[in-house]
């Protein structure tokens, strides 16, 4: 049975804090609703099944994803410094409306809370027999009522710098940077190899992380680096093709790999 968020928990968590078709650009005049719960606190409501949100919960955060290069699809990822969260939105070219670095607040009442690959997910309540934890937010009227953008210049949020041993699922959904990685080439493929699909990288101690690149990404056919590099992306944890369970980075574009 699906659980609902209760007002008592709102009071508790609201006090906690931690570290080619377009719709019109949202009006940013006037005050926007203030966040009353952190993403880290919101995560505590999820217990393995979809949660309908019936209370007036508002989260805030900066946009750390971008669909400009085609490696993110109908999704917007927010990071508030305590955690990351994915919004499932049935629109394309979201980067033209909610630019990376924009500060948004999202009114979650009437939405559903789920999780995919250990990333907290907000969308609409799914159909009874849907295999997905949430459905896309497809109503533009609802979206414009739900999302509020601060009237300010975008401020790019720096990635959280980690080593592979420091990774944990609480970081999933956040923008992460990992330095000093090298590609572990697939034994059955010739080198160089393209980004498309899952590519396994390792650190000096032999720890591994997978990088996922969609076939629709503009850089999917570019060659993966042969030298030591730094990788930045949204962190996930799940099955990475033939590599099994792995932490996974999803880069925003080719510039998220630096040498």
């Amino acid at each position: 049975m699906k659980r609902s968020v209760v007002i008592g928990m709102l009071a508790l968590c609201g006090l906690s804090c931690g570290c080619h078709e377009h719709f019109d650009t949202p009006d940013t005049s006037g005050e926007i609703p203030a966040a009353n719960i952190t993403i880290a606190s919101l995560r505590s409501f999820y217990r393995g099944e979809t949660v309908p949100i019936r209370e007036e919960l508002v989260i805030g955060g900066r946009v750390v994803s971008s669909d400009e290069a085609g490696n993110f699809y109908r999704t917007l990822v927010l990071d508030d410094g305590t955690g990351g969260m994915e919004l499932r939105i049935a629109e394309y070219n979201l980067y033209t409306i909610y630019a990376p670095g924009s500060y948004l607040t999202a009114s979650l009442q009437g939405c559903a809370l789920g999780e995919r690959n250990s990333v907290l997910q907000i969308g609409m309540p799914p159909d009874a027999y849907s295999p997905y934890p949430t459905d896309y937010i497809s109503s533009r009227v609802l979206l414009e009522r739900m999302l509020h953008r601060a009237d300010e210049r975008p401020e790019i949020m720096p990635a959280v710098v980690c080593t592979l041993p420091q990774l944990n699922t609480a970081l999933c959904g956040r923008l992460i940077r990992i330095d000093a990685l090298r590609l572990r080439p697939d034994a059955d493929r010739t080198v160089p190899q393209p980004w498309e699909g899952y590519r396994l990288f390792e650190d000096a101690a032999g720890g591994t992380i997978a990088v996922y690149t969609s076939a629709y990404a503009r850089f999917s056919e570019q060659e993966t680096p042969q030298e030591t590099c730094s990788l930045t992306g949204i962190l996930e944890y799940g099955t990475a093709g033939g590599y099994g369970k792995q932490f996974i980075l999803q880069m925003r574009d080719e510039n998220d790999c630096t040498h």
Side-chain angles (χ1 to χ4, degrees):
M1 180 179 297
K2 295 176 180 178
R3 301 163 49 247
S4 62
V5 177
V6 296
I7 192 69
M9 292 297 290
L10 169 61
L12 174 63
C13 293
L15 295 174
S16 66
C17 59
C19 254
H20 299 128
E21 189 177 29
H22 294 278
F23 56 94
D24 293 336
T25 300
D27 182 10
T28 58
S29 60
E31 295 185 1
I32 65 174
N36 59 20
I37 188 170
T38 65
I39 294 176
S41 295
L42 188 66
R43 178 178 284 276
S44 69
F45 293 132
Y46 184 74
R47 291 290 185 273
E49 57 186 17
T50 299
V51 182
I53 301 177
R54 300 194 174 102
E55 305 303 331
E56 295 182 357
L57 300 182
V58 181
I59 62 95
R62 292 201 177 273
V63 177
V64 291
S65 62
S66 173
D67 58 358
E68 183 175 7
N71 206 34
F72 284 83
Y73 176 75
R74 292 182 163 188
T75 189
L76 199 65
V77 182
L78 301 183
D79 189 327
D80 70 350
T82 74
M85 184 185 74
E86 174 188 22
L87 296 169
R88 300 191 74 204
I89 300 174
E91 296 289 342
Y92 302 98
N93 299 323
L94 288 168
Y95 75 96
T96 65
I97 308 162
Y98 305 109
S102 298
Y103 182 82
L104 308 179
T105 62
S107 302
L108 305 184
Q109 188 176 36
C111 295
L113 174 69
E115 188 181 83
R116 182 194 65 86
N117 280 358
S118 295
V119 176
L120 204 61
Q121 188 179 85
I122 290 290
M124 297 307 296
D127 293 333
Y129 299 104
S130 173
Y132 301 104
T134 67
D135 202 353
Y136 284 109
I137 302 167
S138 58
S139 166
R140 295 183 178 180
V141 173
L142 174 60
L143 191 61
E144 290 176 2
R145 179 181 65 81
M146 174 185 173
L147 287 182
H148 316 276
R149 190 181 64 205
D151 189 12
E152 60 183 35
R153 294 176 61 87
E155 179 181 319
I156 301 301
M157 192 170 207
V160 179
V161 181
C162 291
T163 62
L164 292 186
Q166 292 174 324
L167 297 181
N168 59 76
T169 55
L171 290 169
C172 288
R174 302 199 66 186
L175 186 66
I176 300 295
R177 191 188 88 206
I178 304 174
D179 298 326
L181 294 175
R182 289 187 68 90
L183 176 71
R184 180 187 288 181
D186 292 340
D188 58 344
R189 298 194 180 200
T190 59
V191 176
Q193 295 169 1
W195 280 108
E196 181 181 344
Y198 290 101
R199 293 290 171 260
L200 200 64
F201 284 76
E202 61 185 356
D203 62 13
T208 60
I209 187 169
V211 175
Y212 172 73
T213 304
S214 167
Y216 297 100
R218 71 184 181 198
F219 59 97
S220 63
E221 295 183 1
Q222 293 183 15
E223 296 177 2
T224 51
Q226 303 305 302
E227 63 270 32
T228 300
C229 62
S230 296
L231 297 175
T232 301
I234 304 300
L235 185 69
E236 303 178 2
Y237 180 78
T239 301
Y243 299 124
K245 288 284 188 179
Q246 294 277 344
F247 280 103
I248 302 166
L249 276 182
Q250 188 166 344
M251 300 192 305
R252 296 161 298 180
D253 56 39
E254 61 273 27
N255 297 317
D256 277 339
C257 175
T258 58
H259 306 142

